[in-house]
Amino acid sequence: MFDITLATWQILVIKIIVILTVVPVGALVGGYAEHKVMAHLQHRLGPMYPGGFHGWATTLADGIKFLYKEDIIPAAADRKVFSLAPAAIMVPIIMTYLVIPIDRALIVEDLDVGIFYLLAVGSLSTIGLLMAGWSSANKYALIGALRSAAQLIAYELPIVLAAVVVAMLAGSLSLIDIVETQNWPFAIWPPGIGFIAFLLFTVGAVAEMTRVPFDMPVAESEIITGPFTEYSGMRYIFAHMFAEMGHMVAFGGIGATLFLGGYQPIVPIPFLDFIPGVIWFSAKTMFMIFLFLWIRPTFPRVREDQLQKFAWKFLIPVGLALVLVTGAWVLYV
Amino acid sequence: MAKVGSPSEERAGARGRVPSRHPEEGAAGAEGRFKTEEMILNVGPQHPATHGVFRLLATIDGEVLIDADPVIGYMHRGYEKLVEQRDYRQITNLVSRMDWLSGINNELPLALAVEKLMEIEVPPRAQYLRVILCEMNRILNHLMFFASFGAELGAITPTFYAFREREDIQRVMEATTGGRMHFGFFRPGGIKEDVPEGFVEGALAGVRQVIDRLPDYENLLVGNEIFKQRTIDIGILEEEAAYSYGVSGPIARGSGITMDVRKDEPYLVYDQFDFDVQSAPNGDCFDRFWVLIREVGESARIVEQAIEGLPPGPIMGKVPRVIQAPEGEVYVRCENPLGELGMYLVSDGDRRPYRLKIRTPSYSNVSALSYVLKNTYVSDMIAILGSFFFVLGDIDR
Amino acid sequence: MAQTQSASRADEALERVKSALKETISEPKVNFGTVDLICEPGDLVGVMTALRDSEGIECKFFGFLSAVDRSELGEGGGGLEVLIVVYSPVHFFSVAVHVPVAAAAPACPSVSGVYSGALWHERETHEMFGIVFEGHPQLSNLYLPEDFEGHPGLRSFKLPGRAVKDWPGAKDPEEAAAGGR
């Protein structure tokens, strides 16, 4: 898209810096939102003290606390793999941010195969989880890693199918094109199809993030924290908390882009155009994140085999049928 | 597993269990299947699902538990020996610490045993207050397990709901006895002191609130589809096995047993109240939990009735200055929140018991775990452990 | 009143127990609403099976199994005995079975075949009182470490604190305040 000149190269650097700040800030805000949303859903206040106003600095304080913790590597662990695993989990998550259009111009690289890249990169962190689980020399970690690998494979497919539906409707794999074609968000248009795809995506995303009710890989009452059992300090933050929050913000952004019209106003009314796209995008992302947070205090955990059955016997068939219907819709309507 | 199972294996499947895959049994049908290796997994002694120091030696094959052997004793304090060195006043405070979620219920059988041997008549007001306090303690205990069972299945919200209601009752208990967990309030002959002002109002308000909100609680978990899938037909304990293992309390009543000491051999003044013994027929995790929730309502009903009928009068019977049980033996059974708490007291006429055998409910209940856990899924293990509602101090004494 | 009702239930139960068990038991009586009887170790498994299965008794519910060391009880003392309490959830009464065992090398047949719940109770009694339960599948320690010496449940096992100093409560509280202890 761009002619590579020095100027665009500079723009690229600035964009990357912006993205690299968006990820941790997003994770911090996501963490705070998780504290507060969950608390208010459960008739309590949540953190109130750090930072003064409604505990706004809680996640920041958490992060600083973890920074000071000892970084423990178990004696029996495979040191190299153990230390690399958090990076292997974190980097793919950051990489997904590269193609999400925050505004018409604010995108690091508008790839022609944007969706394809997103899905391919998104599932890479599985390798990191397996690395963490295997190298920890801990049975709980191993069970957790195997569970998460199985789960990510199973739930990647509904997401892919939902994305395929969107790509078919938009007629393009580029995320900018997808947003531009959404006069009305796909989640509400065309009748039914977009909404089912949106549900498929949300369920798949919650499972990908290993959050309740699909948090078997990290189920704390069973296998402690799964692959992260042996991690401590900053490594734990990167491998688990940060990755989960980063994942959540990424999926919020993807959901907003694919289904809710990204940086476009929610309804095509001209006088709403004065609101910048960044605000629209952020609001939609926040809405997605709220959906994810809402699910957590509502449900108990699904059992491992039920989780697999749900994916393979329900979500994926529904997704395949939906692709067929969408094909028919695109061809004949 | 596509092969035709033996009748017992088919039955096992129907009961939510995995057909046995033990090498010697499965050898004939093993061709064409993956060769799997068993792994021994130590669940505990420090594990989030064990509520304390409890270890489960689990032999697992993939996600299937082949064998589970509970290992206890990490908290053994030797109460049965310690009580032989203490007089009856001191023992009250010791036994209060056995099951730390239902302290006041633990003190009751000791007081009853001494009263039986010494033939002390306990005034009605003390008897009524004992019933009220015991039942309020039962509500506290059951709400706690309501919270923890949800948390074990990944539902965190019940915890906060339950603790909100617990706090109101807890405050009344605290104002009355001065303690939040270890009350030390029952004496042979009566209770330590009369209840403070505002007790009646506070207790009534507390239990009425529980009665009001109980349907919400039930719907929160029992009405949840995922919760049902996790618990129905999981961890089945049959009626006969429950009797044979000495399983009692809500766990036994979840297996279709209608045994409740309060109804069968009424002690105190339980025969004057109208309440039902809740029971469910299937013996799975869901039924055990359902019985537990229902019992909260029954306890609240008893408290309401007892407060209405609370007579005036003294709170202490005619008790000699030094409590010395005469020579003799007596066995007293009480319905603890978690099951039957029995104390077999052998006295030689001293101020100290000659021998006090304490039969705690959790001990017998947990001994049935290895039977129930055999050939279940690892993920069900947590649900089953949680549905056995045990307190570590009560197991180890 | 409830107490009298349960007492009469126990009296009726005593007659049924007597007629069902006949010679295998001795000294059957009702003690505070509990049917009390003595049985020799040789007859124990038969007695327990009869208690569980006989019509009119049906003590299906396993209460507990433990032991009482009577060596310091009363004048001259008694011996070691195994104590089993079972309960009938059908007819609402408890039966306490006393089984005297030899003080030297005490042994008793295991009733874990009749009541599965006895498995743990017998292990506990084994380590606390040194009674060997013949036929128990795995008589390892439940509470104590494997290399623990002695049997804490026995009267002869003194708590170290009490070996140094007598029980302070032996004195009257008032005497103690006046300068004892």
Side-chain angles (χ1 to χ4, degrees):
Chain A
M1 286 206 76
F2 293 99
D3 293 325
I4 301 297
T5 62
L6 196 63
T8 41
W9 181 82
Q10 281 172 333
I11 290 171
L12 200 63
V13 169
I14 294 168
K15 280 173 171 174
I16 288 172
I17 291 171
V18 168
I19 292 298
L20 282 182
T21 34
V22 163
V23 181
V25 168
L28 282 180
V29 173
Y32 177 69
E34 168 139 48
H35 276 301
K36 281 306 215 189
V37 170
M38 220 162 77
H40 286 279
L41 288 171
Q42 293 170 336
H43 298 276
R44 60 195 173 92
L45 291 171
M48 289 301 281
Y49 296 106
F53 180 74
H54 282 262
W56 66 270
T58 310
T59 34
L60 209 61
D62 269 356
I64 293 170
K65 182 194 78 176
F66 273 104
L67 203 62
Y68 283 102
K69 294 257 175 174
E70 188 187 351
D71 177 28
I72 302 164
I73 299 180
D78 187 339
R79 290 185 74 90
K80 267 187 206 152
V81 181
F82 187 82
S83 346
L84 269 177
I89 295 168
M90 204 55 214
V91 169
I93 292 171
I94 296 175
M95 279 164 73
T96 55
Y97 286 77
L98 296 181
V99 291
I100 298 174
I102 295 172
D103 204 343
R104 227 170 238 106
L106 201 53
I107 175 169
V108 175
E109 189 61 71
D110 177 24
L111 293 177
D112 292 342
V113 287
I115 288 192
F116 185 70
Y117 168 86
L118 209 60
L119 298 171
V121 165
S123 48
L124 270 184
S125 53
T126 316
I127 296 169
L129 290 171
L130 275 174
M131 282 164 69
W134 179 255
S135 65
S136 294
N138 180 318
K139 285 170 186 169
Y140 291 110
L142 182 60
I143 295 176
L146 293 176
R147 280 182 179 181
S148 49
Q151 178 167 334
L152 292 179
I153 291 166
Y155 282 86
E156 193 70 36
L157 282 168
I159 296 182
V160 170
L161 292 171
V164 164
V165 169
V166 169
M168 286 165 86
L169 290 173
S172 167
L173 288 175
S174 153
L175 288 166
I176 290 271
D177 289 352
I178 286 173
V179 173
E180 293 290 333
T181 41
Q182 295 184 59
N183 292 325
W184 290 86
F186 281 145
I188 49 176
W189 179 96
I193 298 174
F195 188 67
I196 297 172
F198 178 65
L199 286 184
L200 271 182
F201 172 82
T202 313
V203 173
V206 171
E208 284 272 284
M209 290 181 282
T210 63
R211 289 174 62 83
V212 175
F214 306 110
D215 67 336
M216 260 300 154
V218 292
E220 80 285 341
S221 59
E222 289 177 30
I223 49 173
I224 330 297
T225 38
F228 319 114
T229 304
E230 295 289 352
Y231 281 89
S232 61
M234 248 357 235
R235 271 188 231 281
Y236 176 70
I237 280 282
F238 272 111
H240 190 202
M241 314 303 276
F242 212 62
E244 190 179 323
M245 286 304 146
H247 228 139
M248 191 158 78
V249 177
F251 269 117
I254 297 170
T257 307
L258 293 186
F259 298 98
L260 303 177
Y263 51 79
Q264 298 213 61
I266 189 84
V267 283
I269 300 173
F271 78 84
L272 286 173
D273 287 347
F274 74 93
I275 301 173
V278 183
I279 303 280
W280 281 115
F281 177 79
S282 308
K284 287 169 180 174
T285 307
M286 284 294 180
F287 171 73
M288 288 300 294
I289 291 176
F290 176 73
L291 275 189
F292 297 148
L293 293 178
W294 191 3
I295 292 170
R296 181 166 173 200
T298 315
F299 291 110
R301 188 178 292 135
V302 193
R303 207 174 58 210
E304 182 64 23
D305 59 317
Q306 294 167 342
L307 187 140
Q308 294 289 340
K309 267 183 207 146
F310 185 59
W312 293 107
K313 292 191 176 166
F314 181 72
L315 288 182
I316 293 170
V318 167
L320 287 171
L322 198 65
V323 170
L324 272 180
V325 172
T326 317
W329 171 276
V330 170
L331 280 178
Y332 300 113
V333 180
Chain B
M1 303 268 298
K3 75 183 174 82
V4 182
S6 66
S8 75
E9 275 186 288
E10 273 171 3
R11 200 174 73 105
R15 295 183 315 170
R17 289 192 184 175
V18 188
S20 169
R21 283 214 255 164
H22 245 290
E24 60 266 24
E25 291 170 33
E31 295 152 36
R33 252 192 286 132
F34 283 125
K35 189 183 171 299
T36 51
E37 230 170 83
E38 290 170 14
M39 174 165 95
I40 291 181
L41 185 69
N42 249 323
V43 183
Q46 301 288 340
H47 187 277
T50 56
H51 309 283
V53 275
F54 171 79
R55 184 157 71 115
L56 198 70
L57 210 59
T59 313
I60 60 176
D61 179 4
E63 286 273 339
V64 180
L65 263 177
I66 295 198
D67 203 2
D69 187 16
V71 180
I72 62 167
Y74 293 95
M75 254 191 97
H76 184 52
R77 291 151 292 177
Y79 276 176
E80 284 175 23
K81 188 77 181 172
L82 286 178
V83 295
E84 292 173 12
Q85 308 295 334
R86 274 153 183 80
D87 63 27
Y88 293 111
R89 304 163 300 163
Q90 294 169 310
I91 295 172
T92 306
N93 289 308
L94 259 190
V95 293
S96 181
R97 278 149 181 78
M98 287 188 318
D99 176 355
W100 48 68
L101 287 177
S102 40
I104 217 154
N105 279 287
N106 295 340
E107 298 162 17
L108 186 62
L110 177 79
L112 290 180
V114 177
E115 283 155 14
K116 271 193 178 177
L117 276 183
M118 295 178 71
E119 291 170 355
I120 301 172
E121 191 80 24
V122 180
R125 184 175 174 82
Q127 301 222 22
Y128 269 79
L129 285 175
R130 278 178 175 182
V131 168
I132 294 169
L133 290 170
C134 279
E135 292 307 315
M136 284 189 351
N137 197 207
R138 192 185 309 272
I139 296 174
L140 289 181
N141 175 84
H142 282 11
L143 284 180
M144 182 77 196
F145 280 104
F146 164 75
S148 77
F149 191 53
E152 260 145 35
L153 294 181
I156 30 182
T157 308
T159 315
F160 298 101
Y161 279 51
F163 270 77
R164 185 182 54 179
E165 259 59 78
R166 280 188 91 219
E167 197 51 37
D168 290 333
I169 296 177
Q170 188 75 267
R171 263 191 220 122
V172 180
M173 297 285 282
E174 195 180 352
T176 310
T177 66
R180 283 177 70 87
M181 292 185 98
H182 306 304
F183 304 103
F185 200 64
F186 291 170
R187 300 288 142 91
I191 54 176
K192 188 179 155 212
E193 53 197 17
D194 212 337
V195 288
E197 241 173 78
F199 171 83
V200 169
E201 295 77 24
L204 266 185
V207 293
R208 288 211 170 123
Q209 193 178 9
V210 168
I211 293 176
D212 278 352
R213 291 194 175 151
L214 209 57
D216 284 357
Y217 290 1
E218 253 187 84
N219 290 335
L220 189 65
L221 279 182
V222 175
N224 187 306
E225 191 54 41
I226 296 178
F227 179 82
K228 281 188 196 161
Q229 286 194 10
R230 286 296 305 274
T231 52
I232 288 183
D233 281 342
I234 301 298
I236 295 205
L237 176 70
E238 298 86 349
E239 190 180 332
E240 286 309 312
Y243 277 135
S244 181
Y245 273 99
V247 174
S248 52
I251 302 158
R253 289 192 281 274
S255 298
I257 293 172
T258 51
M259 191 174 64
D260 187 328
V261 190
R262 293 176 295 173
K263 242 343 187 221
D264 299 345
E265 291 187 325
Y267 52 97
L268 293 179
V269 282
Y270 275 114
D271 49 344
Q272 301 182 13
F273 304 123
D274 171 34
F275 67 100
D276 299 320
V277 177
Q278 296 291 343
S279 168
N282 299 322
D284 53 12
C285 293
F286 183 86
D287 281 8
R288 288 192 277 273
F289 184 73
W290 189 83
V291 167
L292 186 92
I293 293 288
R294 283 309 177 93
E295 282 189 5
V296 177
E298 297 301 330
S299 290
R301 270 173 70 194
I302 297 177
V303 174
E304 265 192 322
Q305 295 171 41
I307 285 180
E308 270 165 33
L310 183 64
I315 47 126
M316 206 58 182
K318 282 200 172 63
V319 180
R321 196 175 56 84
V322 177
I323 293 172
Q324 255 170 318
E327 235 173 282
E329 295 178 21
V330 64
Y331 182 56
V332 174
R333 304 161 68 233
C334 281
E335 188 70 23
N336 222 39
L338 298 179
E340 181 194 310
L341 176 66
M343 290 200 188
Y344 194 95
L345 175 65
V346 182
S347 173
D348 59 351
D350 194 12
R351 279 171 233 174
R352 300 173 281 181
Y354 179 80
R355 165 112 174 90
L356 182 67
K357 165 64 193 174
I358 306 165
R359 182 245 192 248
T360 52
S362 297
Y363 179 73
S364 292
N365 293 354
V366 165
S367 72
L369 259 183
S370 60
Y371 169 78
V372 175
L373 278 174
K374 210 162 207 165
N375 291 330
T376 52
Y377 284 110
V378 176
S379 348
D380 286 337
M381 172 182 81
I382 300 302
I384 296 168
L385 271 182
S387 74
F388 262 74
F389 315 123
F390 54 85
V391 169
L392 253 295
D394 204 30
I395 299 175
D396 286 354
R397 305 189 299 291
Chain C
M1 255 318 263
Q3 266 79 9
T4 50
Q5 192 193 343
S6 78
S8 68
R9 269 203 301 238
D11 287 329
E12 289 164 24
L14 179 67
E15 295 311 313
R16 290 200 292 271
V17 170
K18 269 186 195 165
S19 62
L21 296 174
K22 299 187 184 80
E23 277 82 51
T24 47
I25 55 167
S26 51
E27 296 181 43
K29 61 175 189 293
V30 172
N31 177 28
F32 290 106
T34 304
V35 177
D36 228 36
L37 52 92
I38 296 174
C39 151
E40 288 304 316
D43 302 326
L44 180 61
V45 174
V47 167
M48 296 317 288
T49 314
L51 282 178
R52 186 188 63 180
D53 298 335
S54 303
E55 206 174 322
I57 304 175
E58 287 160 82
C59 290
K60 290 189 281 187
F61 179 76
F62 178 74
F64 69 84
L65 182 149
S66 188
V68 182
D69 176 12
R70 295 180 187 275
S71 58
E72 292 173 18
L73 187 67
E75 279 157 44
L80 193 59
E81 69 170 39
V82 172
L83 171 63
I84 306 170
V85 172
V86 289
Y87 172 72
S88 167
V90 187
H91 306 287
F92 312 119
F93 65 93
S94 299
V95 179
V97 181
H98 301 259
V99 189
V101 290
C108 174
S110 167
V111 296
S112 56
V114 188
Y115 295 99
S116 321
L119 284 167
W120 276 23
H121 288 261
E122 283 178 359
R123 279 170 72 182
E124 187 192 352
T125 311
H126 167 67
E127 65 186 329
M128 293 299 170
F129 292 89
I131 299 170
V132 176
F133 289 91
E134 291 147 358
H136 190 284
Q138 181 204 0
L139 210 57
S140 55
N141 280 3
L142 194 60
Y143 289 127
L144 303 171
E146 284 299 330
D147 53 356
F148 191 88
E149 282 176 25
H151 301 291
L154 296 176
R155 291 298 284 198
S156 55
F157 187 99
K158 296 279 185 238
L159 294 179
R162 294 288 162 266
V164 178
K165 200 169 124 187
D166 270 348
W167 182 52
K171 281 185 191 136
D172 237 46
E174 281 147 38
E175 280 173 43
R181 218 179 152 120

